[in-house]
Amino acid sequence: MPRTITIGAAQSGPVSRSETRAEVVERLLEQMREARRRDCDLVVFTECALTAFFAHWWIDDEHELEAWFEKEMPGPETKPLFDEAQRLQIGFHLGYAELATESGRKRRFNSSVLVDKHGRIIGKHRKIHLPGHADHRPHNPFQNLEKRYFRVGDLGFQTWQAFNGVVGMCICNDRRWSETYRLLALGGAELILIGYNTPDHIPEHPEMDQHVGFQHQLCMQAGAYENGCWIVAVAKAGVEEGVSQIGLTSIIAPSGQVVAESKSLEDELIVYECDLDETRAYKTLFDFQSNRKIEHYRPITSTAGPVVPIAEESPRQDTAEKL
Ligand code: CDT
């Protein structure tokens, strides 16, 4: 059985606040059809793909906030994506804001689903690393209120047998944490799907602006290589409601090399045929089973001692004793 999977990374250009779900879904359907024409088995959409990224502005009113969320998946507005996937026999990945009602309790998550070529949901991820702040910062050029609008995901980092391989998901800021890739790889992941909304300016850290594109690639390239995985990372790009976001939608091989990358800040589909068997050499090289032993790390961590803020640092006990 061949283990190549042709993947379309469907970058979204900006979505305006006034665009309806139906209008956005029509854009996504157009990309799904293009992906099918270009022989894709799977099309990957971005984080919160159905709306403008509302975490960039303050919302006080609960009803207004809930309007940005999906109450069911599929729901009436997103069902056309599932129907078209089934008609075209193509899988897809979709990021969305999830309003879950469980045991009578409403909870908001930043989520993504993986859907098979029959239009059935295979798995769901809820974003774990929420960036930004919960307080109102009206003097910033834009805000990042994910800590106010979403709960920390409660599903961990899971993997699924799908598309002749093992697939995992993470969302945007999750990609900056090495634990994400390692946990997915320990679950056998060969392919990791990521959607992101990444501004090219960080209001609290303007000194980092020049590195935003580099750091975006750096963490994913390292994650792919160190864990022997393919990574498909898809942007919401361009200037959206006054916030300028990076593009750089990328497909990264287990070697760590970027093998395909978007050129624009608009809706754009990039396609690559990923051979999941290319993961094998890297997984064998690192061989977690033989080389990654917790007992080898313990002697180092047990002498590390508590972390002391630099200003207050005093000689550690063991060092002081030797003086
Ligand atoms: N959506 C999201 O998680 N965005 C964050 C912005 C953080 S600014 C470095 C990201 O990690 O891209």
Side-chain angles (χ1 to χ4, degrees):
M1 175 85 89
R3 297 224 309 141
T4 53
I5 162 170
T6 304
I7 304 181
Q11 176 172 289
S12 291
V15 172
S16 81
R17 256 168 122 119
S18 59
E19 240 170 299
T20 64
R21 295 286 202 290
E23 286 166 337
V24 178
V25 165
E26 197 46 53
R27 281 169 59 177
L28 303 182
L29 285 170
E30 198 46 57
Q31 290 181 301
M32 185 184 276
R33 291 181 195 122
E34 182 186 345
R36 183 69 281 184
R37 286 195 295 275
R38 293 171 67 182
D39 280 335
C40 291
D41 303 294
L42 171 66
V43 59
V44 181
F45 298 116
T46 189
E47 175 189 32
C48 292
L50 298 164
T51 63
F53 197 59
F54 57 90
H56 286 154
W57 63 87
W58 181 261
I59 302 168
D60 239 343
D61 180 79
E62 190 66 25
H63 290 293
E64 189 187 330
L65 179 60
E66 285 188 6
W68 294 98
F69 286 74
E70 309 308 310
K71 292 162 194 69
E72 47 185 337
M73 188 55 67
E77 284 144 326
T78 45
K79 192 161 179 301
L81 286 167
F82 290 72
D83 293 344
E84 192 68 345
Q86 185 177 20
R87 189 182 77 80
L88 297 172
Q89 292 285 286
I90 190 171
F92 70 94
H93 162 283
L94 178 72
Y96 65 105
E98 177 191 9
L99 180 65
T101 305
E102 288 157 4
S103 315
R105 262 187 329 148
K106 282 184 183 176
R107 300 188 305 156
R108 298 186 299 262
F109 297 100
N110 186 340
S111 302
S112 55
V113 282
L114 180 63
V115 179
D116 72 12
K117 63 179 185 173
H118 307 295
R120 292 182 303 228
I121 292 179
I122 301 170
K124 183 196 283 187
H125 174 66
R126 287 171 169 165
K127 183 174 181 175
I128 291 178
H129 302 96
L130 298 174
H133 47 93
D135 56 312
H136 196 9
R137 300 188 185 174
H139 301 299
N140 282 0
F142 62 90
Q143 307 195 47
N144 190 350
L145 290 154
E146 289 198 54
K147 287 194 194 297
R148 172 174 165 85
Y149 298 153
F150 302 115
R151 298 175 73 95
V152 171
D154 58 354
L155 301 176
F157 287 105
Q158 300 177 53
T159 54
W160 296 272
Q161 291 278 351
F163 303 99
N164 289 327
V166 184
V167 185
M169 295 182 271
C170 70
I171 301 177
C172 196
N173 196 266
D174 284 333
R175 78 191 186 289
R176 302 188 191 276
W177 300 82
S178 51
E179 293 85 350
T180 297
Y181 306 98
R182 183 50 48 94
L183 289 169
L184 288 171
L186 287 169
E190 298 172 302
L191 169 64
I192 298 175
L193 309 176
I194 308 175
Y196 59 92
N197 282 261
T198 297
D200 60 19
H201 167 63
I202 307 170
E204 288 80 8
H205 294 284
E207 75 283 6
M208 292 182 193
D209 289 356
Q210 59 183 313
H211 305 303
V212 168
F214 165 70
Q215 288 165 349
H216 155 73
Q217 301 288 39
L218 175 70
C219 51
M220 296 192 300
Q221 290 184 254
Y225 165 66
E226 290 174 356
N227 295 283
C229 293
W230 285 91
I231 293 183
V232 177
V234 180
K236 165 88 81 56
V239 181
E240 180 184 271
E241 296 299 330
V243 183
S244 173
Q245 301 206 114
I246 64 167
L248 298 175
T249 290
S250 306
I251 299 180
I252 301 169
S255 63
Q257 286 164 307
V258 177
V259 293
E261 192 174 83
S262 63
K263 302 279 178 288
S264 76
L265 295 173
E266 303 293 335
D267 288 6
E268 178 182 344
L269 185 78
I270 61 167
V271 174
Y272 198 82
E273 200 177 304
C274 304
D275 179 356
L276 297 181
D277 284 333
E278 272 183 44
T279 61
R280 289 220 172 121
Y282 293 92
K283 290 196 188 287
T284 308
L285 177 76
F286 286 111
D287 187 1
F288 289 174
Q289 196 73 21
S290 316
N291 298 316
R292 188 186 166 281
K293 294 206 189 293
I294 298 302
E295 62 268 28
H296 294 166
Y297 304 143
R298 200 169 292 131
I300 303 167
T301 51
S302 67
T303 57
V307 176
V308 179
I310 288 167
E312 300 164 26
E313 198 169 20
S314 54
R316 280 222 315 267
Q317 198 55 44
D318 53 354
T319 319
E321 275 164 11
K322 286 190 201 117
L323 293 176

